[in-house]
Amino acid sequence: MFQFKGSDILHGSQFSRPDLECLMDVADDFRKRVEDHQVMDLLRGTVMAALFFEPSTRTRLSFETAMQRLGGSVVGFSSAESTSVAKGETLSDTIRTVDQYVDLIAMRHPAIGSAAEAAGVAQAPVINGGDGAGQHPTQAMLDLFTVRQELGKTDGITLALCGDLKNGRTVHSGVEIYKHFGIRLIFVAPEALMMPAEVTDRLRVQGVEFEETTDLEAAVRKADALYMTRIQKERFSDLAEYERLKGAFILTREMVESLNPRLVTLHPLPRVNEIATDVDSMAGAAYFRQARNGVFVRMALIALVMGKV
Ligand code: NCD
């Protein structure tokens, strides 16, 4: 089994099924303890840096909440503009400096490969909270945990991933994780935003089956769970192209009611317009529960990486 202790968490492909099951079981245990109002001090004296060079609400705040719920503490920033990056400091020098202060680094940065670069210079473990259009492994872990919680199982389910599969880092990490669980995958995207060939080629080499389509309604009929994603505006060099694609797929309450009322709907959030707000009150609308799960899964990951469980 992968040794979480002391490891960098950079890419969805790092983990095996037993690793992920262990992580989810620990997360479930922390969920019960938090919901039982237990005060934990597992990480008292441990300091985590949350370095967010790119906007974030859930990832940063759930990492920080996770650390604090475990009794640890957090330093960091949520905008590079307030740091020496604004004076021209390199990522490597910033990371080397922070590495002198803390025991663990969680980071998000617009460049693909930035977390790996940071891991290359830091002694402390680095957790990738999103590297541009690359990877976002902790989100994929909490997405899997939410599927298990909502459907009561993972094996044999059909999961449709819809939206900006080209630029969406959560789905790039997701497929590397879902492949261990016999999850049938349907990729739903406009032609211009299909899953990148490097991702699908890797899946094919590993014998992972998936279907690609532009038909959201057909996918909703077949799926147990639908994972909607935002069109990633910040990755477009041509804003006219973004405007053309931003309304490509919108899930409405009427679609769910008429095609598959038992559908579980997931979304990493933030949502722009891809799920109509009247879906929110449906039983299967799981995206805010999913955000909550981010705390428990990150608690589990931090505790494992710090060797405390
Ligand atoms: C995602 C991200 O930042 O990649 N959000 C998140 O971490 N919860 C998805 C997105 O921004 O669309």
Side-chain angles (χ1 to χ4, degrees), residues 69-278:
R69 289 225 183 266
L70 290 167
S73 53
V74 184
V75 297
F77 53 80
S78 52
S79 154
E81 286 313 300
S82 65
T83 74
S84 288
V85 171
K87 302 177 186 171
E89 188 168 54
T90 61
L91 175 63
S92 166
D93 283 0
T94 301
I95 297 293
R96 279 182 203 201
T97 303
V98 173
D99 192 38
Q100 309 300 313
Y101 306 153
V102 304
D103 309 297
L104 176 67
I105 298 172
M107 64 175 278
R108 167 173 290 184
H109 190 281
I112 293 179
S114 50
E117 184 189 339
V121 297
Q123 296 283 314
V126 171
I127 304 181
N128 181 5
D131 61 324
Q135 288 277 311
H136 192 352
T138 67
Q139 179 69 42
M141 290 165 174
L142 77 92
D143 297 340
L144 177 73
F145 181 81
T146 306
V147 166
R148 187 174 86 159
Q149 185 181 66
E150 295 291 322
L151 292 171
K153 63 175 183 178
T154 47
D155 285 81
I157 68 139
T158 300
L159 175 66
L161 306 177
C162 176
D164 190 348
L165 306 185
K166 177 179 177 212
N167 299 302
R169 54 196 173 196
T170 70
V171 293
H172 299 165
S173 289
V175 294
E176 298 289 347
I177 278 179
Y178 305 136
K179 71 185 183 197
H180 299 298
F181 292 84
I183 295 177
R184 279 193 296 273
L185 295 169
I186 307 176
F187 300 157
V188 189
E191 297 287 353
L193 300 178
M194 288 285 192
M195 198 65 97
E198 68 174 81
V199 176
T200 49
D201 287 350
R202 210 170 32 230
L203 293 178
R204 277 197 197 91
V205 167
Q206 298 174 63
V208 180
E209 285 180 29
F210 57 87
E211 185 187 324
E212 291 185 287
T213 179
T214 55
D215 187 345
L216 175 59
E217 298 204 350
V220 166
R221 265 195 213 96
K222 280 194 248 178
D224 298 295
L226 171 67
Y227 186 95
M228 289 299 282
T229 65
R230 174 179 68 88
I231 308 297
Q232 307 278 296
K233 183 178 183 183
E234 65 275 36
R235 312 288 176 223
F236 283 71
S237 48
D238 176 3
L239 276 186
E241 176 77 345
Y242 168 74
E243 291 297 328
R244 185 175 75 79
L245 293 167
K246 74 173 183 201
F249 294 113
I250 296 178
L251 185 74
T252 64
R253 186 174 181 114
E254 199 206 333
M255 277 167 77
V256 181
E257 279 173 348
S258 65
L259 301 173
N260 185 355
R262 294 165 56 90
L263 184 73
V264 167
T265 310
L266 303 164
H267 193 307
L269 302 177
R271 146 176 71 184
V272 180
N273 61 348
E274 55 279 356
I275 301 180
T277 51
D278 59 3

